[in-house]
């Protein structure tokens, strides 16, 4: 959309699926919804006055993304069913050679928009592959599998599970909830938008923009808290009060109380989670899993529990990005190899050794306090500015300098010191195998937006346009 608005129309979007929508296309599990207010979890330039409630449902967000693709004229540029197989930088021609599942292409610039919660993480559990019942991940929900009356095991208690468990609990026969670590869960202040509110959004100039900005700036307060664990404890009290009000049984409440600081792992919001998991047909298993058998799961407590359906709510490959296995930069270096000691990028967007490569939601762009659309829009502005400057100056390639990338990440590490993510006492998907937080942007979004307002060419190695000595196939 921003490319077209900038007068750039020589581009293609490769989408491996058959429709747009990303995570809101793929995650169709019962109860799926957003936990960021709708006004902020939408594009600033494509506001929607018709949200039904404070927090949009999955179906609303999916429809919104399809609609914006139509309204802004993006669809003619999309090639559906094109999965990236390999992208290799051609140093001689200074462009990318791209292989998809349906053909080969060349492009001067390559932008990845694969996200960090797109590839399901399947736990390494003994015997899981030999289970004779149905197994599926929450991000690949099997809607043809009827859960009515079945004995269901849910593995995981993260952001997806706290939504789909309350949705399926009333219909299943029995549900075993395997909880490795309990999450901090706060109340979700969701309400249906009134007719007056909707009318104001539609007709009062600037009202929706004000509501969006008010929520965005208000959320920056949380970034201040997450930097200071003592202040984070005040937010934790909100979650602990919610737990105390929701769970009367003292022993159960103790099992549901995390032993780490709030936001060390993602803070969740739900009004239905605690009521659902206290129902008679739900058993919470906190001892872990020893093995899966043909028709049962054996817990670490030695108890064998019969089950005919296993639903994995086990998250995604966030710090081991699958796309990094499909990109080769200067000198034939694979991106995964460049990241062997941990993901790293400059402003979460460009990587040394990979000219003309831009990553949306690259390393350290996830947020623990605000909306990802804020980060994505900032990065897109950064990319568009890079393209404009490259065209204006006749540049063949731009590549971030290693020293600029290292200096940026040193600043990130200083911001991370003492935060809830490193000192909160937990192990989360924010951390890589080396214990480094390569996921979260640890400070205010205004800092990120300021840093990506314009691409500073002094931070980059530049190469002028070159004439090819032979014709290059181009599609």
């Amino acid at each position: 959309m921003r490319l077209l608005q900038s007068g750039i129309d020589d581009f293609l979007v490769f989408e491996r699926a058959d429709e747009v929508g990303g995570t809101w296309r793929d995650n169709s599990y019962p109860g799926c919804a957003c936990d960021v207010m709708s006004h902020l979890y939408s594009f600033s330039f494509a506001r929607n006055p018709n949200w039904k409630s404070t927090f949009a449902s999955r179906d609303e967000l999916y429809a919104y993304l399809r609609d914006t693709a139509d309204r802004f004229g993006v669809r003619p540029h999309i090639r559906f069913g094109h999965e990236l197989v390999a992208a290799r930088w051609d140093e001689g021609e200074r462009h990318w050679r791209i292989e998809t599942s349906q053909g080969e292409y060349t492009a001067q610039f390559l932008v990845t928009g694969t996200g960090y919660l797109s590839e399901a993480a399947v736990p390494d559990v003994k015997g899981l592959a030999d289970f004779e019942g149905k197994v599926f991940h929450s991000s690949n929900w099997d809607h043809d599998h009827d859960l009515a009356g079945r004995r269901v095991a849910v593995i995981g208690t993260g952001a997806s599970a706290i939504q789909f468990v309350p949705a399926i609990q009333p219909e299943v026969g029995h549900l075993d909830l395997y909880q490795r670590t309990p999450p901090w869960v706060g109340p979700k202040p969701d309400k249906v938008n009134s007719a007056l509110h909707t009318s104001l959004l539609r007709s009062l100039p600037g009202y929706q923009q004000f509501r969006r900005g008010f929520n965005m700036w208000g959320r920056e307060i949380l970034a201040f808290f997450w930097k200071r664990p003592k202040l984070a404890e005040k937010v934790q009290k909100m979650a602990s009060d919610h737990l105390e009000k929701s769970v009367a049984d003292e022993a159960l409440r103790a099992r549901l109380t995390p032993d780490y600081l709030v936001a060390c792992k993602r803070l969740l919001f739900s009004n239905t989670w605690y009521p659902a998991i206290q129902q008679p047909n739900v058993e919470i298993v906190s001892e872990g899993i020893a093995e899966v058998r043909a028709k049962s799961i054996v817990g670490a407590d030695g108890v064998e529990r019969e089950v005919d359906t296993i639903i994995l709510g086990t998250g995604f490959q966030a710090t081991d990005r699958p796309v990094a296995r499909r990109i080769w930069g200067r000198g034939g270096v694979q991106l995964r190899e460049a990241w062997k000691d941990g993901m790293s990028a400059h402003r979460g967007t460009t990587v040394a050794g990979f000219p003309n490569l831009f990553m949306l939601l690259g390393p350290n762009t996830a947020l623990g306090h605000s909306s990802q659309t804020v980060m994505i829009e900032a990065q897109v502005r950064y990319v568009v500015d890079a393209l404009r400057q490259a065209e204006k100056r006749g540049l063949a390639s731009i590549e971030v300098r290693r020293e600029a990338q290292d200096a940026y990440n040193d600043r990130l590490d200083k911001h991370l010191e003492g935060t809830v993510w490193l000192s909160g006492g937990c192990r989360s998907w924010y951390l890589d195998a080396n214990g480094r937080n390569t996921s979260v942007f640890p400070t205010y979004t205004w800092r990120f937006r300021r840093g990506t307002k314009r691409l500073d060419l002094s931070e980059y190695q530049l190469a002028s346009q070159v004439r090819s000595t032979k014709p290059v196939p181009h599609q």
Side-chain angles (χ1 to χ4, degrees):
M1 289 185 275
R2 286 307 202 195
L3 287 174
L4 292 172
Q5 289 173 343
S6 301
I8 301 171
D9 60 7
D10 181 18
F11 68 90
L12 293 179
V13 178
F14 298 124
E15 171 56 64
R16 66 181 177 183
D18 58 3
E19 183 53 281
V20 300
T23 192
W24 299 106
R25 176 199 61 231
D26 295 344
N27 287 269
S28 61
Y29 59 78
C32 186
C34 193
D35 60 3
V36 175
M37 292 181 70
S38 308
H39 298 313
L40 188 57
Y41 200 87
S42 51
F43 302 125
S44 63
F45 57 93
R47 291 184 286 274
N48 175 22
N50 300 313
W51 298 118
K52 295 178 181 178
S53 59
T54 308
F55 301 91
S57 68
R58 173 263 179 184
D59 291 347
E60 284 185 282
L61 288 166
Y62 186 29
Y64 171 79
L65 292 169
R66 299 198 306 273
D67 174 66
T68 53
D70 291 333
R71 285 195 289 129
F72 288 86
V74 177
R75 283 195 185 273
H77 297 270
I78 303 176
R79 299 297 180 265
F80 291 110
H82 281 62
E83 180 173 0
L84 176 67
V85 176
R88 302 177 187 275
W89 174 251
D90 187 323
E91 183 67 19
E93 301 296 342
R94 289 181 185 161
H95 63 210
W96 285 96
R97 293 188 177 276
I98 302 166
E99 180 186 354
T100 77
S101 55
Q102 295 199 40
E104 296 182 358
Y105 301 78
T106 61
Q108 185 180 5
F109 298 96
L110 175 63
V111 182
T112 67
T114 54
Y116 52 88
L117 301 180
S118 59
E119 298 291 335
V122 177
D124 183 16
V125 178
K126 179 182 177 182
L128 182 61
D130 300 322
F131 181 65
E132 294 181 357
K134 190 72 177 180
V135 181
F136 56 87
H137 193 276
S138 62
S139 64
N140 188 27
W141 197 272
D142 189 339
H143 292 278
D144 294 329
H145 184 65
D146 187 5
L147 294 175
R150 294 187 182 274
R151 295 189 63 89
V152 176
V154 172
I155 302 176
T157 54
S160 299
I162 72 159
Q163 293 186 337
F164 73 73
V165 166
I168 68 173
Q169 173 271 318
E171 64 176 302
V172 304
H174 183 81
L175 192 153
D176 293 320
L177 179 63
Y178 287 87
Q179 169 189 270
R180 185 175 59 179
T181 53
W184 279 116
V185 181
K188 190 173 184 178
D190 196 11
K191 63 179 181 179
V192 176
N193 288 333
S194 67
L196 175 61
H197 180 69
T198 301
S199 177
L200 289 173
L201 292 173
R202 291 173 178 170
S203 59
L204 184 61
Y207 179 64
Q208 189 169 0
Q209 183 178 359
F210 166 77
R211 291 297 300 266
R212 187 181 195 277
F214 184 81
N215 187 244
M216 181 180 71
W217 286 103
R219 282 174 167 267
E220 297 286 61
I221 297 172
L222 287 175
F224 182 80
F225 282 13
W226 300 160
K227 176 69 176 176
R228 299 159 178 83
K230 282 295 182 183
L231 291 178
E233 292 177 2
K234 297 183 182 298
V235 181
Q236 182 168 303
K237 187 176 187 308
M238 173 270 297
S240 62
D241 286 348
H242 181 54
L243 173 59
E244 186 170 355
K245 291 176 183 177
S246 303
V247 181
D249 184 275
E250 188 173 342
L252 177 58
R253 193 163 63 241
R255 294 176 64 196
L256 296 174
T257 300
D259 60 359
Y260 54 86
L261 188 61
V262 69
C264 181
K265 291 189 175 185
R266 182 176 173 182
L267 174 60
L268 309 179
F269 297 92
S270 174
N271 301 324
T272 57
W273 170 250
Y274 290 132
I277 63 177
Q278 293 179 82
Q279 296 305 308
N281 66 334
V282 177
E283 179 182 358
I284 301 171
V285 184
S286 304
E287 292 77 17
I289 297 174
E291 67 172 316
V292 176
R293 295 177 179 171
K295 300 179 185 295
S296 64
I297 295 178
V298 180
D301 56 1
V303 177
E304 183 175 4
R305 297 171 176 87
E306 292 185 13
V307 60
D308 52 53
T309 303
I310 298 176
I311 304 175
L312 305 175
T314 46
F316 301 87
Q317 299 176 42
T319 58
D320 183 16
R321 306 281 182 93
V323 72
R325 304 166 197 166
R326 306 185 184 196
I327 297 176
W328 285 262
R330 191 161 33 80
V333 176
Q334 187 184 46
L335 182 55
R336 190 185 192 194
E337 176 65 19
W339 282 350
K340 64 182 179 181
D341 296 324
M343 294 192 302
S344 174
H346 183 57
R347 304 191 188 284
T349 311
T350 54
V351 182
F354 294 81
N356 290 4
L357 173 68
F358 300 91
M359 309 191 78
L360 304 182
L361 295 186
N364 292 107
T365 55
L367 293 176
H369 72 285
S370 190
S371 172
Q372 290 299 157
T373 57
V374 175
M375 303 294 277
I376 293 170
E377 286 198 31
Q379 287 186 285
V380 167
R381 179 178 59 186
Y382 193 65
V383 173
V384 171
D385 184 64
L387 301 183
R388 284 173 172 161
Q389 293 198 59
E391 182 179 20
K392 181 180 179 180
R393 296 170 180 266
L395 300 177
S397 65
I398 58 177
E399 177 191 345
V400 67
R401 297 179 183 276
R402 170 63 66 181
E403 56 269 27
Q405 179 174 320
D406 290 345
Y408 175 78
N409 282 275
D410 286 343
R411 293 196 298 273
L412 282 184
D413 287 341
K414 288 179 181 177
H415 279 298
L416 280 163
E417 290 177 3
T419 62
V420 294
W421 301 294
L422 295 187
S423 61
C426 76
R427 176 77 191 178
S428 72
W429 64 259
Y430 301 141
L431 308 181
D432 64 16
N434 300 316
R436 182 177 181 272
N437 187 332
T438 56
S439 302
V440 172
F441 185 70
T443 182
Y444 310 103
T445 62
W446 64 259
R447 280 183 168 150
F448 187 84
R449 288 183 287 124
R450 184 180 65 183
T452 53
K453 189 173 183 178
R454 182 174 175 80
L455 185 138
D456 183 355
L457 289 179
S458 69
E459 298 177 331
Y460 287 80
Q461 301 176 60
L462 312 176
S464 299
Q465 292 283 8
V466 293
R467 293 282 183 181
S468 176
T469 57
K470 59 182 179 179
V472 178
H474 180 75
Q475 291 182 302

